[in-house]
Amino acid sequence: GAVVSQHPSRVICKSGTSVKIECRSLDFQATTMFWYRQFPKQSLMLMATSNEGSKATYEQGVEKDKFLINHASLTLSTLTVTSAHPEDSSFYICSARRQGYNEQFFGPGTRLTVL
Amino acid sequence: LAKTTQPISMDSYEGQEVNITCSHNNIATNDYITWYQQFPSQGPRFIIQGYKTKVTNEVASLFIPADRKSSTLSLPRVSLSDTAVYYCLVGYTDKLIFGTGTRLQVFP
């Protein structure tokens, strides 16, 4: 139980295009989902907290107009990187907190490469 | 949010017990302590969580002293496949802030 999936697992795009990453909790309902970014050899950096049915809360320094987050249901959150640039190339990871529980469960990550 | 401090790296050999200690001096009353394992290019994997004293599951034990200002993850008889980064986090139902983690290297 408590499986989180991400799609796609890997994406390569041209500079200036937008990329959507999906995060799904497969066997539980997640009232809150989180989006992280991780650069090589570094720790995970929290980007935003997404609550179902409400606007996401972004961490300081994260542009909300560039990283659009939608949490339309209890099992799905999406992150859209708009007008992607090479510096947005990174490993994006989502996590979901099961309703009524404390621990978070992480997705497998999405490797974004912007050419 | 409570800040955590862990050793940057540790080395071990197969079959040995590995103990990774994390300090979290400003842990709040409601905070739980959770450990995650991460392999390269994968999302973190939940290992164990505890509030106080000792917690044990099929892969690890977590020791938490009475003052809860630190915790120790114990991995019994590590294997090469345990080479990974281990993160200690404290929190309750709010967001988790990752520290630097401990890079464990297991040698044959």
Side-chain angles (χ1 to χ4, degrees):
Chain A
V3 178
V4 177
S5 70
Q6 282 185 240
H7 179 79
S9 58
R10 186 183 298 269
V11 57
I12 301 173
C13 69
K14 293 182 178 180
S15 185
T17 61
S18 294
V19 175
K20 180 184 284 188
I21 303 171
E22 291 186 348
C23 176
R24 292 182 185 274
S25 56
L26 297 184
D27 51 2
F28 65 98
Q29 292 187 328
T31 50
T32 305
M33 289 184 170
F34 304 85
W35 287 95
Y36 296 82
R37 180 167 53 181
Q38 186 175 33
F39 293 107
K41 303 287 187 184
Q42 294 187 24
S43 183
L44 285 78
M45 185 193 79
L46 179 65
M47 299 175 66
T49 301
S50 168
N51 291 297
E52 186 264 338
S54 63
K55 290 184 178 181
T57 302
Y58 291 82
E59 294 300 302
Q60 192 172 11
V62 178
E63 299 176 57
K64 63 179 181 180
D65 294 330
K66 180 166 184 63
F67 299 99
L68 303 179
I69 292 173
N70 184 276
H71 192 163
S73 76
L74 286 173
T75 60
L76 173 65
S77 177
T78 60
L79 168 68
T80 301
V81 183
T82 62
S83 187
H85 291 283
E87 57 265 31
D88 298 323
S89 298
S90 187
F91 193 52
Y92 291 86
I93 308 169
C94 72
S95 72
R97 185 165 59 225
R98 189 164 48 171
Q99 198 170 20
Y101 290 79
N102 184 27
E103 65 264 29
Q104 292 182 26
F105 298 93
F106 287 80
T110 296
R111 174 75 60 193
L112 171 64
T113 302
V114 185
L115 302 176
Chain B
L1 293 169
K3 180 182 176 182
T4 61
T5 303
Q6 305 173 231
I8 295 294
S9 64
M10 293 182 69
D11 292 337
S12 182
Y13 291 94
E14 279 191 296
Q16 289 189 333
E17 178 184 77
V18 171
N19 296 307
I20 306 174
T21 297
C22 176
S23 65
H24 27 80
N25 292 319
N26 59 339
I27 187 170
T29 302
N30 290 337
D31 284 345
Y32 280 74
I33 300 157
T34 311
W35 286 79
Y36 289 89
Q37 175 194 55
Q38 187 183 29
F39 297 110
S41 295
Q42 293 186 27
R45 183 177 74 101
F46 174 87
I47 301 176
I48 197 166
Q49 183 182 76
Y51 184 80
K52 61 180 180 180
T53 62
K54 177 184 175 182
V55 180
T56 298
N57 61 22
E58 62 274 11
V59 298
S61 294
L62 178 59
F63 299 91
I64 306 168
D67 65 5
R68 303 200 329 122
K69 293 183 182 299
S70 67
S71 60
T72 299
L73 174 72
S74 181
L75 304 173
R77 298 180 299 281
V78 294
S79 64
L80 295 176
S81 61
D82 292 317
T83 293
V85 179
Y86 293 82
Y87 293 98
C88 157
L89 297 99
V90 296
Y92 184 44
T93 58
D94 54 3
K95 56 190 179 185
L96 295 178
I97 303 299
F98 281 75
T100 57
T102 298
R103 189 172 299 273
L104 173 65
Q105 178 69 55
V106 180
F107 295 96

